[in-house]
Amino acid sequence: MRREYAGFYHRIVGRLSRVPGPTVELGSGIGKFKAFKPDAVMTDVEPTRWAEAVVDAEALPYEDGTIANLVLLDVFHHVPDPARFLDEAARVLRLGGRVVIVDPYCSPLSTPVYRRFHHERTDLAALAFERDAQTGATALDSNQARATLVFYRHRDQYLRRWPSLPIVADERFSFLVYPLSGGFTRPALLPAFLYRPLSVLERALRPAAQLLAFRCLVVLERR
């Protein structure tokens, strides 16, 4: 899991905008992003020992056009009202600023695995852009299908509603290593010595990402 999440952070850093301004991580958890982006601002929806500020993704406390990057790792699917967040992102980002999201992806392989073995809800029948009554009662409520719905299944609708925040990059990945890691709560099924060869195999499987992926990266840029 440490290796996998280090890979997620490297992906994020490689996609950040270089325009002037702060990089803000929303839902920064235990603050690991600092090891990869030392000047990033750590925030969370509740006070924690690692957060530098308490920030609600649906009511960002920043002036218009002042932020270079918003980073969300395993956070987008916890946002109750994605439309409000996207409106806020478009407001606070500088021209050329970016939202960089890494979140679960619901493929034909990952969806039944998430539903069977993961404690978080995975509902592909939910409305993509509407406030979700089942998400937001507590900070850990979620719908793991949210990014798949908003940025993949309903991409045309997204692009019509947020033309100033187009999708400039997306990637689906994590086919083998991530599910075999056991996540944060289950025993690892992957011996450490197999990590590198399976990572090589994953690169060979990229053409089948739509069918196999457990994760996605989406980059939005303020235009």
Side-chain angles (χ1 to χ4, degrees), residues 68-85:
N69 296 285
L70 294 170
V71 172
L72 295 86
L73 171 58
D74 288 342
V75 169
F76 186 72
H77 63 287
H78 290 284
V79 176
D81 191 334
R84 285 187 62 181
F85 164 68

Side-chain angles (χ1 to χ4, degrees), residues 51-72:
E52 299 166 57
V54 175
V55 171
D56 182 346
E58 296 179 9
L60 297 172
Y62 306 114
E63 298 295 326
D64 296 2
T66 57
I67 301 299
N69 296 285
L70 294 170
V71 172
L72 295 86

Side-chain angles (χ1 to χ4, degrees), residues 15-25 37 39 41 62-71 89 92-100 165 219-222:
R15 297 291 189 172
L16 294 176
S17 171
R18 304 300 185 227
V19 301
T23 292
V24 176
E25 185 182 21
K37 178 71 172 168
D39 62 344
V41 179
Y62 306 114
E63 298 295 326
D64 296 2
T66 57
I67 301 299
N69 296 285
L70 294 170
V71 172
V92 305
L93 285 175
R94 299 176 64 94
L95 289 177
R98 289 183 165 186
V99 181
V100 183
L165 207 59
V219 183
L220 317 174
E221 184 170 287
R222 182 72 168 91

